[in-house]
Every structure is written in C-alpha cells, then in structure tokens.
Amino acid sequence: MSEIWSYLSRGELVWLTATLMAYLCGDWAFRASGRSPLVNPVLVAVLILSGVLMVTGTSYPTYFEGAQFVHFMLGPATVALALPLWAHHGRVARVLVPMGAALLVGSVVAMGSALALGWALGLPMDVLVSLAPKSATAPVAIGITEELGGLPNLTAVLVILTGIIGAIIVTPLLNGLGFTDYRARGFAVGVAAHGIGTARAFQVNEVAGTFSGIGMGLNAVLTAVLAPVVVRLFL
Amino acid sequence: MIGSIVILLSFQLAGEVIARGFGLPIPGPVIGLVLLVAALWLRPALEDTMRPLTSTLLGHLSLLFVPAGTGIVGNLDTVRDSGLALLVVLVVSTALAIVAGAWVFAVLARRFAPEDGR
C-alpha cells in the first residue's frame, strides 16, 4: 500500500485528480450554502489541498507537477473572455470614459493603499514589493515581482488571497453602500480582484462578469506599467 | 470542440509572439483576447462555434486559480511571521480599491449611459 502511494504521490495523476476533486467539493459547498459569497469555491479547494499536502508531506513543486495542467488553462480562459466582451460591446463602447477613470483610480488605490498600510504595519521590504502587484492577474503579477526583486512565490499567494477576499466582500460591501449599476460593480471587482473577482461576478450577472473581465485585462496592463513607478515612489 | 480549443490556443500564441516580439508590458493572453474580439467583429459566426467551450471554461474560472492558491503551503514561514498584518493589508486595500473603482465608474456612467447598468 505504502509502495503504491509513494509511486503515485510522485506522479501527476494524483495531484491533477486531487485538484479537480477539491474544486468539486468547493463548488458543492458553494451551492449547498445557497450560493453564499462567504463560501468561496477557490478558498474551500485551497484549504482542502493544503491540508492534504501537509498531512502527506508532499512539497508544493511535486503537487504543481500535476496541477500545472489546470494552471495552464488560465491563458486560454483569458482569451475566452473575448466572447462575453464581444456580446456586450455596445454597452462597453458607451462607457469608455467611466472605465478609464475607474481603472486608474482603482489600480492606484489598490497598489498605494497596500504599500502604505503594509509599511505602517512594519512589513519587510521584500514582502512589500511582492505585495504591490497583488490586484493584477497571477502570471502578470509574478512577472512584475520578478522584475522588481520581490518574492514570486509569495506574490502568487497574495494575488490569489486578494482575489478570494475581493470575491467574498464585493457583494455585501457594494450592496451595503447602495451600488446598483452592475457595470460599475463588475468592473471594480475585476480591477481590484482579477480573475477570482471575475468568476464571482459571473456567478451574479453576465453584465457584471463581462465588465469584470475587462477590468481584469486592463488592470493587468496598467499594473505592469505603474507598479515600478509606485514602488519607487514608496520605497 | 477541438476546433474551438485550437482557436483559443492560436490567439494566445499570437498574443505571446506579439508581446515578446515588441517587448510589450502587456500579457500575451490579453493581446490574444483583443485579437479574438477583432476576429469576432470580422466573422460574427465564430461566436456560435465557440460559445459551448468558452461558456464551460468561464463557468469554472474559479478552478483555474486553485493550483496557484495552494502555493500557500510553500510560504508558511511568511504566513507565520506576517500573516495577520498581510491579511489586514489585503482586506483593507481590496475593499478600498473596489469602492473607489465602483464609485468613480457609477458617478461617471450616470452621465454617459445611465440605462445600461441593470
């Protein structure tokens, strides 16, 4: 038995299957909760897998050998956002000015407030640098951190946590403040919380999801341009 | 289905080639997204072909972030040292960014296209 396990746990099949199963559990929990934003499918799946990796003493690189096939699909999924964007292009074209302004404000607030608060709380320099691009989508944020001399692995985690937090808080937060425009709601969560925010927005409404996808794409670009400037200003 | 996968991958590939070739700070898949919108504009029939695949993919977008998120087990030292401070920073700054972005968008959208938002 332990021989079979030691063979399998080094292979890709186990960790690919585990990733999909953990996601199914997360998705089931989300539905069972009556689609509560608090029961975020990514969060549930990550908690399950982290527990399994720690209990079995499996390293993250070993796990990722199998999970990379899922991770790879982030690229094609980003390209796929072209379809909802095309389907709603009329709506999008009418709000180019609000989008541009909200992008700039959202992106600068995301980076600036994180650096200011992190500095005030005494976080070390390399952690602060890794924190700066947290609102951009994972592959872009990791590239930015590498360029600025941060910790790429830490950035990946901070990006995902930002996405989960954004997806959890966006609905109660914006309901509480009385925002009813689904374009504004979706776009803002896409800028602040990238693809996980976008996944949440699609759970709520297709218009919100579409604008969230645009926000995510635009902020990936803007963060790449602004992060070096903002980091140099602060640190 | 296979045809749709090839289309997505080809546009991503083209995006990567353009991003690297011109040294752009824009991620390859984002350029691929823009190119695919242009292709849909030229050939609207493409939409019906690709819908089944893209709906499935975008319907399970959350799944694709699970491998990167599980990276937290590789960063337990940082979590132990600065986990609470990091959590406070992430929650506060993400909330501020969402509210600031939504507020600017909503205020300006009321002037440009108030009827589209519902």
Side-chain angles (χ1 to χ4, degrees), chain A residues 2-141:
Chain A
S2 70
E3 248 173 67
I4 298 177
W5 170 251
S6 69
Y7 165 72
L8 281 179
S9 65
R10 271 179 273 122
E12 293 148 355
L13 178 62
V14 166
W15 300 118
L16 177 58
T17 313
T19 302
L20 294 172
M21 280 168 59
Y23 170 72
L24 284 180
C25 290
D27 199 45
W28 173 84
F30 169 65
R31 282 167 210 284
S33 72
R35 302 173 71 83
S36 160
L38 287 172
V39 186
N40 182 272
V42 184
L43 180 61
V44 175
V46 164
L47 289 176
I48 293 173
L49 287 166
S50 302
V52 172
L53 293 188
M54 282 195 266
V55 168
T56 60
T58 307
S59 74
Y60 181 64
T62 305
Y63 161 79
F64 197 78
E65 286 283 311
Q68 62 177 321
F69 304 108
V70 172
H71 184 75
F72 172 81
M73 291 309 288
L74 279 171
T78 303
V79 180
L81 288 168
L83 269 94
L85 176 54
W86 170 250
H88 296 282
H89 69 273
R91 264 172 205 258
V92 174
R94 283 191 287 276
V95 284
L96 290 179
V97 174
M99 276 201 306
L103 168 66
L104 194 63
V105 170
S107 188
V108 169
V109 169
M111 261 186 283
S113 66
L115 287 177
L117 195 56
W119 178 79
L121 290 174
L123 290 176
M125 194 63 83
D126 52 349
V127 175
L128 282 178
V129 173
S130 314
L131 196 55
K134 68 174 171 49
S135 284
T137 184
V140 178

Side-chain angles (χ1 to χ4, degrees), chain A residues 115-179:
Chain A
L115 287 177
L117 195 56
W119 178 79
L121 290 174
L123 290 176
M125 194 63 83
D126 52 349
V127 175
L128 282 178
V129 173
S130 314
L131 196 55
K134 68 174 171 49
S135 284
T137 184
V140 178
I142 291 165
I144 294 170
T145 295
E146 278 168 355
E147 206 121 303
L148 297 175
L151 312 162
N153 284 335
L154 179 62
T155 293
V157 173
L158 295 175
V159 167
I160 304 301
L161 287 177
T162 299
I164 292 172
I165 291 167
I168 289 175
I169 65 176
V170 61
T171 305
L173 181 65
L174 294 182
N175 281 350
L177 293 171
F179 285 94

